[in-house]
Amino acid sequence: MARMSLVLSLAVVAMLTPSVNARAANTDPDWPCIQRKVPQLSLGQIWNGPELPPAAKDFSKDPAVSGLVEEVAARRMPIAEAQKKIKDFAASLPAEQLAPKMAMLVQGMFDHMDAERSQVISGISRYAHKQLEMAAALRKEASNVDALRAKPDADPDDIERRTEQLKFATRIFNERVQSLTYVCEVPTIIEQRLYQLSKAVSETLAAKK
């Protein structure tokens, strides 16, 4: 059980101790990811084309634009396919509709994907707090089992049962640590996808000039 406690402690420390770079990059001490926490994006981060008109915010009233936003925002669609859909949509538009529809598309993609990204970030924070709770519970149980093993009149079957339960709970904890490592990458993946899609719009508009 002493070995079990050591393994558990190492797992907890690995999860809860951010790297030096992470501490330097993040101002939120509860943020568990190495990636810097940026709760929301600005349009200027992903769009270097002309300023979007106020009418672009009405993208949800246009079924074709809002439908395309939903399609291309989905990460299951390869980025090259999504970019092609944008260019095909642009090619289908009359010349006078190209600029306003593309502006609506950019605004729609930004609003949709920035909201999705913010939801992921909130989920990461909740996930990390749950891990902290699990870590505390596992440390407490490891200490309790160690104390039980030290008792001369302890029931061997009880010790074995609680040891196996602790091993199982620790395995679940470590699997969640690995999952958190992947989930931490999702906000950046969304941001990069949004940039690439917006770039496709910019290139399409430039090609029509």
Side-chain angles (χ1 to χ4, degrees), residues 34-51:
I34 293 175
Q35 295 86 347
R36 186 167 62 93
K37 182 180 181 180
V38 181
Q40 290 185 308
L41 300 175
S42 67
L43 186 62
Q45 288 176 266
I46 60 92
W47 176 245
N48 57 7
E51 183 177 354

Side-chain angles (χ1 to χ4, degrees), residues 127 131 134 138 165-179:
Y127 193 101
Q131 285 293 89
M134 288 180 66
L138 287 171
Q165 289 175 344
L166 184 57
K167 287 180 180 178
F168 178 76
T170 303
R171 185 162 62 249
I172 297 300
F173 177 89
N174 287 332
E175 288 173 357
R176 285 174 59 89
V177 170
Q178 293 302 316
S179 296

Side-chain angles (χ1 to χ4, degrees), residues 13-203:
V13 170
M15 184 266 167
L16 299 181
T17 305
S19 69
V20 173
N21 289 338
R23 287 197 298 270
N26 292 310
T27 57
D28 185 347
D30 294 328
W31 181 244
C33 304
I34 293 175
Q35 295 86 347
R36 186 167 62 93
K37 182 180 181 180
V38 181
Q40 290 185 308
L41 300 175
S42 67
L43 186 62
Q45 288 176 266
I46 60 92
W47 176 245
N48 57 7
E51 183 177 354
L52 302 183
K57 293 185 179 296
D58 293 331
F59 67 90
S60 61
K61 298 177 182 178
D62 188 307
V65 173
S66 59
L68 183 58
V69 167
E70 294 283 344
E71 276 192 281
V72 300
R75 296 194 301 280
R76 63 179 176 273
M77 177 179 288
I79 189 65
E81 182 180 344
Q83 290 170 324
K84 184 177 185 302
K85 280 186 173 292
I86 289 172
K87 292 176 180 179
D88 288 347
F89 176 69
S92 72
L93 296 172
E96 69 276 8
Q97 292 186 18
L98 180 63
K101 294 285 187 181
M102 289 292 100
M104 294 174 92
L105 179 60
V106 171
Q107 186 70 60
M109 292 189 303
F110 176 80
D111 288 358
H112 180 93
M113 297 175 75
D114 186 45
E116 178 189 11
R117 184 178 172 280
S118 294
Q119 289 174 354
V120 171
I121 288 173
S122 296
I124 289 172
S125 295
R126 291 193 299 272
Y127 193 101
H129 281 292
K130 181 65 175 178
Q131 285 293 89
L132 287 169
E133 293 172 0
M134 288 180 66
L138 287 171
R139 282 198 299 265
K140 182 178 179 180
E141 180 60 10
S143 178
N144 290 341
V145 174
D146 280 344
L148 182 62
R149 287 173 63 89
K151 293 181 178 180
D153 59 343
D155 182 350
D157 291 338
D158 187 31
I159 293 174
E160 182 178 1
R161 176 182 60 80
R162 291 179 65 174
T163 298
E164 289 304 313
Q165 289 175 344
L166 184 57
K167 287 180 180 178
F168 178 76
T170 303
R171 185 162 62 249
I172 297 300
F173 177 89
N174 287 332
E175 288 173 357
R176 285 174 59 89
V177 170
Q178 293 302 316
S179 296
L180 182 61
T181 300
Y182 166 74
V183 174
C184 280
E185 297 175 357
V186 175
T188 300
I189 291 172
I190 295 173
E191 181 179 350
Q192 290 174 343
R193 183 179 184 89
L194 177 56
Y195 174 77
Q196 290 173 309
L197 295 176
S198 298
K199 185 179 178 182
V201 174
S202 180
E203 290 174 348

